[in-house]
Amino acid sequence: SRPGRARQKPGSVRWSTLVEDIATTMLETAFAIHRAGWVAGMDGNLSARLDDATFLVTRAGTAKGRLRRDDLLVIDVEGRVLHGNGRATTEWPMHRAVYQARPRARAVIHAHP
């Protein structure tokens, strides 16, 4: 496993090139909203739709200005972790509601501007 990546559980979703690209964009976005002052401390969270059943989300209790790849989890629609360590953001039900209401939505950013 490369440095900065969460360990993959046997039989879980693979950390693909697509997930890597989305993770990079999520990290850049997290740093940007932190620099802009839209989140402080552990505030806010991000998610991205990988397909109809899986999502990349920030782990609960992470500072967006210091976010690392290990702080990103692949989860299913119920919030169960398929790849990574920790638990998904507690705001996952709000993110899920957005994805269900807007099937074309590819990402959700919850900030506190």
Side-chain angles (χ1 to χ4, degrees):
S1 164
R2 288 184 10 207
R5 283 210 183 152
R7 286 194 191 131
Q8 185 169 321
K9 297 175 184 174
S12 68
V13 171
R14 295 188 55 79
W15 190 272
S16 67
T17 302
L18 173 64
V19 176
E20 182 68 26
D21 291 346
I22 293 170
T24 297
T25 301
M26 285 179 69
L27 293 172
E28 291 168 354
T29 302
F31 298 147
I33 65 174
H34 180 264
R35 276 192 310 273
W38 294 351
V39 292
M42 308 296 180
D43 291 351
N45 38 71
L46 297 88
S47 68
R49 185 191 306 262
L50 300 177
D51 58 35
D52 289 339
T54 58
F55 304 83
L56 189 63
V57 301
T58 50
R59 181 168 53 188
T62 56
K64 305 318 164 277
R66 295 190 309 263
L67 205 65
R68 302 172 321 187
R69 275 178 176 63
D70 286 349
D71 296 321
L72 301 176
L73 308 172
V74 176
I75 65 169
D76 67 12
V77 72
E78 298 302 322
R80 291 181 292 255
V81 176
L82 304 175
H83 181 102
N85 297 304
R87 61 183 174 82
T89 173
T90 57
E91 299 289 345
W92 170 244
M94 178 201 53
H95 289 248
R96 180 178 51 212
V98 172
Y99 292 121
Q100 289 171 339
R102 302 274 188 190
R104 292 178 57 189
R106 303 303 303 160
V108 175
I109 301 171
H110 173 202
H112 296 256

